[in-house]
């Protein structure tokens, strides 16, 4: 099977298949897309490399899902609704069974979010997946990392840390190990994350800043604090803990939640006066949203135990010993 046979067999969407919103879609030298009137285009790119971002044991369908999910997560953090994406796929060989599963996982998620595959490239080499995703957001309403304000609450969605717990299980570093049920549940979180697109759209006009948790909660929070030129106090007692992490030791639990990464949950700030609206949004989406801290004027990040988010008596400072993932400095 040649390059163009591969594309036509696995990635060409025939009439009636998938969303159709591009002016000129897949099959020309360039795709042409046009946001709706009053909308701005949001664009993000991610690359996944075997052995660095995913294990060789992952099923092709889950890998296809995750490859797009991590990009949709960036759109979610911006408050953008997905429109289209391109796929650059580097393959060591043509494996039709693998390609069928990969394309199925990729395109199922694309269809779920009305996101059209409009082009890309295929080449031979070590397995790597590059996706550029495009979304639209009303003019001036994009969520940015730079908007956090002093006094804002700090929130996170879902249960960060499960993906890292699964990774440690794969590494054989957990003592005791995970039960079969716990391993399968956390492995699903690692291999098939759920991009919080609906949450991101719902946070337009509500959140002041947002970022997705990809390299670790504390590391990604640091990006928001630096861009917004503020500090934060984070309550370790308010962190959401999944049942699988609740069964682990306190140190293991905090390592996974604070520095694990690969979660693709949303970390966001919102005015304290909007707590009821944030809680209502979480209820509407069936999504756990946890208030874990507060934005402060003093730069830097302070970790506390005892009191809930915000200043107050009874707070006990905790040294920050956690380091998030960095491609060129090494993992946490």
């Amino acid at each position: 099977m040649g390059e163009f046979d591969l594309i036509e067999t696995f990635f060409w969407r025939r009439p009636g298949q998938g969303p159709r919103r591009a002016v000129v879609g897949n099959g020309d030298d360039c795709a042409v897309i046009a946001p709706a009137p009053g909308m701005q285009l949001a664009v993000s790119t991610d690359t996944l490399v075997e052995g660095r971002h995913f294990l060789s044991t992952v099923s092709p369908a889950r890998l296809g899902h995750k490859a797009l999910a991590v990009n949709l997560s960036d759109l979610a953090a911006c408050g953008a609704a997905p429109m289209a994406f391109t796929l650059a796929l580097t393959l060591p060989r043509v494996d039709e069974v693998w390609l069928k599963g990969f394309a199925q996982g990729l395109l199922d998620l694309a269809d779920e979010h009305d996101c059209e595959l409009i082009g890309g490239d295929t080449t031979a080499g070590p397995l790597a997946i590059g996706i550029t995703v495009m979304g639209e957001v009303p003019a001036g309403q994009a969520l940015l990392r730079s908007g956090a304000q002093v006094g804002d609450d700090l929130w996170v969605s879902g249960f960060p840390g499960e993906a890292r717990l699964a990774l440690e299980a794969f590494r054989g570093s957990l003592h005791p190990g995970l039960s079969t049920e716990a391993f399968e549940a956390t492995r699903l979180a690692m291999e098939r994350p759920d991009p919080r697109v609906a949450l991101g759209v719902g946070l337009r006009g509500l959140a002041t800043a947002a970022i997705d948790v990809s390299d670790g909660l504390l590391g990604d929070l640091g990006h928001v604090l630096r861009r917004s030129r503020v500090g934060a106090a984070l309550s370790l007692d308010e962190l959401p803990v999944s049942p699988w992490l609740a069964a682990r030791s306190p140190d293991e639990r905090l390592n996974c939640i604070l520095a694990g990464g690969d979660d693709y949950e949303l970390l966001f700030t919102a005015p304290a006066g909007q707590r009821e609206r944030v809680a209502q949004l979480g209820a509407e989406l069936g999504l756990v949203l946890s208030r874990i801290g507060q934005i402060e004027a003093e730069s830097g990040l302070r970790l506390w135990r005892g009191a809930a988010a915000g200043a107050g008596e009874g707070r006990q400072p905790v040294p920050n010993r956690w380091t998030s993932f960095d491609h060129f400095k090494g993992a946490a």
Side-chain angles (χ1 to χ4, degrees):
M1 178 178 287
E3 177 183 0
F4 297 103
D5 295 324
L6 184 158
I7 294 169
E8 183 171 353
T9 300
F10 297 105
F11 299 107
W12 181 265
R13 311 307 299 279
R14 288 162 178 76
Q17 289 182 314
R20 297 280 177 174
R21 53 157 45 96
V23 179
V24 177
N26 198 355
D28 234 295
D29 287 308
C30 290
V32 179
I33 59 174
M39 305 294 275
Q40 294 176 325
L41 196 64
V43 182
S44 182
T45 298
D46 267 303
T47 302
L48 275 66
V49 178
E50 184 175 21
R52 190 66 167 176
H53 300 94
F54 60 91
L55 303 176
S56 61
T57 53
V58 65
S59 77
R62 288 189 178 183
L63 180 57
H65 174 103
K66 183 172 182 175
L68 182 57
V70 302
N71 285 271
L72 294 179
S73 182
D74 285 331
L75 290 185
C78 191
M83 291 180 63
F85 72 103
T86 62
L87 169 67
L89 187 59
T90 304
L91 298 168
R93 62 189 178 281
V94 175
D95 181 334
E96 294 186 36
V97 173
W98 187 94
L99 280 163
K100 182 178 180 180
F102 176 84
Q104 189 72 56
L106 177 86
L107 296 175
D108 280 352
L109 183 64
D111 291 349
E112 180 182 335
H113 290 280
D114 198 28
C115 193
E116 182 180 358
L117 175 59
I118 58 172
D121 187 34
T122 57
T123 189
L127 181 58
I129 305 151
I131 287 180
T132 296
V133 70
M134 289 145 274
E136 58 182 9
V137 61
Q141 292 189 33
L143 304 178
L144 306 176
R145 300 177 182 183
S146 57
Q149 302 292 316
V150 174
D152 282 353
D153 291 329
L154 178 64
W155 297 82
V156 69
S157 66
F159 294 98
E162 288 191 344
R164 180 56 178 268
L165 188 61
L167 179 60
E168 295 305 326
F170 273 110
R171 289 173 170 174
S173 65
L174 299 180
H175 304 286
L178 296 179
S179 67
T180 299
E181 183 183 11
F183 176 65
E184 290 303 326
T186 55
R187 181 179 185 178
L188 187 65
M190 181 180 80
E191 296 180 343
R192 201 177 184 278
D194 186 9
R196 304 303 188 188
V197 173
L199 174 61
V201 171
L203 288 173
R204 294 174 187 166
L206 178 56
T208 52
I211 191 171
D212 73 326
V213 181
S214 56
D215 296 329
L217 192 151
L218 292 191
D220 290 316
L221 173 58
H223 296 316
V224 172
L225 300 185
R226 284 189 290 275
R227 292 295 297 273
S228 297
R229 298 186 179 184
V230 293
L234 188 149
S235 172
L236 300 184
D237 294 335
E238 302 300 318
L239 293 171
V241 181
S242 76
W244 315 119
L245 281 166
R248 310 306 299 182
S249 70
D251 280 349
E252 199 170 64
R253 185 160 59 240
L254 286 177
N255 287 341
C256 289
I257 296 174
L258 297 178
D262 222 19
D263 297 304
Y264 304 102
E265 297 292 350
L266 293 191
L267 182 70
F268 62 95
T269 58
Q274 299 290 357
R275 290 175 187 173
E276 186 174 335
R277 283 185 62 195
V278 173
Q280 182 180 359
L281 178 60
E284 291 171 355
L285 298 175
L287 184 60
V288 173
L289 301 179
S290 302
R291 182 166 57 92
I292 61 173
Q294 189 173 53
I295 300 300
E296 298 181 336
E298 182 184 353
S299 64
L301 175 63
R302 289 157 290 283
L303 305 180
W304 301 90
R305 283 198 179 280
E313 296 183 2
R315 293 201 319 186
Q316 299 175 347
V318 176
N320 185 359
R321 56 179 175 81
W322 291 275
T323 303
S324 291
F325 180 84
D326 186 293
H327 284 283
F328 298 101
K329 291 183 179 179

